[in-house]
Amino acid sequence: MRIISKRTLREFWASVPQFSNAKSPLEAWYEEVSKATWNTPQDIKAKYRSASILKNNRVVFNIAGNKYRLIVSVDYVRQACFVKFIGTHEQYDAIDAEVYDVYSTH
């Protein structure tokens, strides 16, 4: 899978000192997913049992022992993952995970 964009992940762990503990888990997730081939949501669930499959080809991953939530939109045909959100549980609870887009908030 191609992941768009690692920059969003990097900005998250660098934005606030308390989020720096997300760096290693996010880099590990990035490396694993960049080598993956997903054709269906079931392919994701086979590897990431705790992932939540949402509408609109969105998937929520628990990061760093469930300290953070990562939402991606998956294009199975193009083998691409688009980062839509990364944040704490509190931040996640404040958004609509099925439509939120990090790029629409800036």
Side-chain angles (χ1 to χ4, degrees), residues 2-90:
R2 288 178 296 128
I3 303 164
I4 319 258
S5 131
K6 188 172 186 179
R7 177 181 173 192
T8 303
L9 303 177
R10 227 180 343 229
E11 287 174 352
F12 175 74
W13 75 60
S15 66
V16 178
Q18 70 191 36
F19 297 160
S20 65
N21 64 344
K23 180 180 180 181
S24 292
L26 284 170
E27 285 180 329
W29 176 89
Y30 184 92
E31 289 303 313
E32 286 179 10
V33 173
S34 66
K35 296 173 186 168
T37 300
W38 294 335
N39 296 305
T40 67
Q42 291 75 20
D43 293 340
I44 298 169
K45 289 294 280 185
K47 174 71 177 167
Y48 299 97
R49 295 176 55 104
S50 66
S52 299
I53 308 298
L54 306 179
K55 295 178 188 173
N56 302 321
N57 292 323
R58 290 188 174 220
V59 182
V60 180
F61 294 93
N62 297 317
I63 303 294
N66 210 14
K67 292 178 186 167
Y68 304 103
R69 294 283 177 95
L70 170 64
I71 302 171
V72 299
S73 176
V74 180
D75 185 329
Y76 297 98
V77 173
R78 293 183 179 89
Q79 288 294 293
C81 246
F82 300 88
V83 174
K84 297 297 183 180
F85 171 85
I86 177 67
T88 64
H89 279 268
E90 182 178 296

